[in-house]
Amino acid sequence: MNPKMEYRFLGNTGLKVSVISYGNWLNSNEANWKERTMAMIKKSWSLGINFFDTAEVYGTGQAEVQFGAALKEMNIPREQLVISTKLFWGTDRAVNVNGVGLSRKHVIEGAKASLKRLGLDYVDIIFCHRFDEETPLEETCRAFDWLIRNNYCFYWATSEWTAAQIMEAFYLCEKYNLIKPCGDQVQYNMFEREKVEVDYNRLFDQYNYGTTVWSPLAGGFLTGKYNDGVPADSRVATFKDDPFVQAAFNKYFKGENAEQTKKGLKELAVVAKELGCS
């Protein structure tokens, strides 16, 4: 534990996580990126980060493999780490009709496959990477309850679910005596505010629901690095074939919103400079 790092409870649990976590979406996608994965995880640990997040879909499983290898080499006591992964998209959905979603089959088989790639007996948290419109929510809640009761994880959580979907999960868990989800991995930044600041208010007030925020800098857009074009070493340039990365860039920097976005970011940079902030 680093005295300079702040640790907080994750929602209404007794689990303490560093206020900054390390996630390996994109940065461990390729098999030849093992050394830089190791370097980033070592640096994160040295700064007091104890919360590490990955997902089955990141690099179609490669991210979990590299993360697990790095942890093994570092030989950090398992009980000092909080490790989470996420299930929904799978690694073989192009050929496996049951390889995506939150059915009992995919939740349990997906969790076992993730643990095998990570080289772990359990993870601390498993997130539902999205809401599954095709699977009965009771089935999903029962599947995650089973994972916890059988020691594959300690907690389960949601990601990008609406407040109504989470409230329905609470209702089903209370009705059938199942373990409730503890938080949502939600996008929250100066561009994306509605869900956290409006939609989740009752979840926070009534249930002390937790959040593990992703994209606090909007994929780097809020840093101002894209104000005058796309840097050669940037995420947008490196992952030019990634539809998610390119769609996010186009949303703010292409079409009718482009000039307004750049103008706002340049004004934000002035304010940041006055405050001595990045």
Side-chain angles (χ1 to χ4, degrees):
M1 186 170 67
N2 190 319
K4 294 183 179 180
M5 177 60 70
E6 180 182 348
Y7 300 89
R8 297 176 183 172
F9 289 107
L10 178 58
N12 197 32
T13 76
L15 183 67
K16 293 181 180 180
V17 296
S18 49
V19 71
I20 302 294
S21 64
Y22 172 84
N24 73 340
W25 178 54
L26 297 178
N27 49 37
S28 299
N29 279 14
E30 303 295 333
N32 60 352
W33 290 355
K34 293 178 182 178
E35 288 188 10
R36 77 176 199 171
T37 295
M38 172 65 75
M40 287 186 286
I41 292 175
K42 280 184 176 180
K43 183 64 175 180
S44 298
W45 178 249
S46 73
L47 294 172
I49 292 174
N50 76 335
F51 182 20
F52 295 85
D53 178 69
T54 185
E56 61 176 358
V57 72
Y58 294 170
T60 58
Q62 181 62 220
E64 288 180 320
V65 171
Q66 291 190 24
F67 181 46
L71 290 178
K72 183 177 182 180
E73 184 171 330
M74 291 173 66
N75 199 30
I76 301 169
R78 177 64 184 88
E79 61 272 17
Q80 295 183 23
L81 297 166
V82 177
I83 299 171
S84 65
T85 191
K86 297 184 286 293
L87 301 174
F88 184 90
W89 305 110
T91 60
D92 63 349
R93 61 186 182 276
V95 297
N96 181 5
V97 69
N98 286 308
V100 63
L102 298 175
S103 68
R104 182 178 180 87
K105 178 178 175 63
H106 181 60
V107 167
I108 294 175
E109 291 178 347
K112 291 180 178 180
S114 285
L115 291 174
K116 184 176 181 179
R117 287 189 292 270
L118 286 163
L120 298 174
D121 295 324
Y122 68 93
V123 289
D124 297 273
I125 313 159
I126 299 182
F127 289 87
C128 302
H129 212 161
R130 289 297 183 271
F131 185 79
D132 187 348
E133 299 283 356
E134 299 181 335
T135 298
L137 185 52
E138 181 186 335
E139 178 178 339
T140 298
C141 292
R142 287 187 181 278
F144 278 93
D145 181 83
W146 186 91
L147 287 180
I148 293 172
R149 295 185 191 278
N150 286 275
N151 300 318
Y152 289 96
C153 61
F154 295 146
Y155 307 91
W156 75 283
T158 57
S159 180
E160 290 295 333
W161 287 25
T162 67
Q165 291 162 346
I166 296 167
M167 292 293 283
E168 184 181 356
F170 285 166
Y171 167 76
L172 290 169
C173 289
E174 289 173 355
K175 180 179 179 179
Y176 296 112
N177 194 30
L178 306 174
I179 297 168
K180 299 183 185 72
C182 64
D184 193 275
Q185 188 163 119
V186 57
Q187 183 176 191
Y188 182 47
N189 54 57
M190 295 182 76
F191 289 153
E192 303 287 342
R193 300 170 57 185
E194 184 77 10
K195 188 167 284 185
V196 169
E197 296 182 12
V198 179
D199 194 29
Y200 282 7
N201 279 343
R202 190 177 175 202
L203 291 173
F204 296 149
D205 294 341
Q206 186 172 342
Y207 292 97
N208 194 26
Y209 205 55
T211 56
T212 63
V213 169
W214 65 275
S215 202
L217 294 176
F221 302 150
L222 289 171
T223 65
K225 68 170 68 176
Y226 297 98
N227 289 356
D228 300 311
V230 178
D233 60 348
S234 66
R235 172 181 291 185
V236 172
T238 302
F239 299 97
K240 60 182 182 298
D241 296 324
D242 188 296
F244 188 94
V245 172
Q246 297 305 314
F249 177 77
N250 293 339
K251 178 179 179 180
Y252 299 112
F253 291 93
K254 293 287 181 70
E256 60 183 20
N257 295 326
E259 291 308 314
Q260 182 179 355
T261 298
K262 292 177 182 178
K263 180 176 181 293
L265 289 174
K266 289 178 179 178
E267 292 173 351
L268 180 63
V270 174
V271 175
K273 185 176 181 180
E274 291 175 354
L275 296 173
C277 299
S278 59

